[in-house]
Amino acid sequence: MKQQLKKFIQHNRADFDHANPPDGLWLSIATALDAQQKNQPPVRKFWKGRLIRIAATIVLAGIAGLTIYHYGRQQAYDDYSRINPTLAAEQQAYVRLVTQKRDSIADFAASNPALYGEFSEVLRQMETNYNTLKQELSQSPNKELTLEAMIRNLQVQIEVLGQQMEIMNYVKKEKHNTTKNEQI
């Protein structure tokens, strides 16, 4: 088939060279292509690629943030363990306990925001004191004593959080009893 086409073109070459396309042929081709293009839905590949790049950037930023956060916590633990490994381990355990109890109390916030506001104010003050001790640790002549003070602050925070959890449970119980009595 290709050979026949080549022979035809070679044999009729002179006719092709002298023949001119009709006037307006290119204009009609362009008009037909424009109409065909208008009927096609817009290509959305651009958004898919951009969305994938944005998602990848967010994932990478999250990983970097977690890595930096973990490195900072590990570095703080390493710094404390140089002072006293036993106290450093104790401090880490108390920090985890405080975080867990805070999370438990934060769940309570939805049902009683006013009481939670009072709880959080007390805890904010204690956390401010803890952060002050952390800052003083680097300049303290007796770092072990300062670390012990930090641990004591965490212990008091745990005690206060425990008391707050007891109050929360009491309030929930009273609300439940009140609701139960109203239904009777």
Side-chain angles (χ1 to χ4, degrees), residues 42-129:
V43 178
R44 300 216 175 232
K45 290 182 180 178
F46 172 76
W47 288 106
K48 288 179 184 176
R50 179 175 253 181
L51 185 63
I52 289 171
R53 284 187 290 236
I54 290 170
T57 302
I58 290 170
V59 167
L60 288 174
I63 290 171
L66 287 174
T67 302
I68 290 170
Y69 174 74
H70 175 71
Y71 175 75
R73 286 187 60 151
Q74 185 63 38
Q75 187 177 14
Y77 174 75
D78 291 343
D79 289 346
Y80 298 154
S81 65
R82 280 188 227 132
I83 297 168
N84 184 326
T86 306
L87 290 177
E90 190 177 347
Q91 184 267 349
Q92 285 295 316
Y94 284 128
V95 166
R96 279 191 295 276
L97 278 171
V98 166
T99 303
Q100 289 171 351
K101 287 188 181 267
R102 279 179 185 258
D103 291 344
S104 296
I105 289 177
D107 291 340
F108 176 71
S111 63
N112 199 331
L115 187 58
Y116 178 74
E118 291 177 34
F119 285 174
S120 60
E121 182 58 37
V122 170
L123 291 174
R124 230 179 276 122
Q125 182 59 44
M126 294 178 84
E127 189 174 344
T128 301
N129 293 342

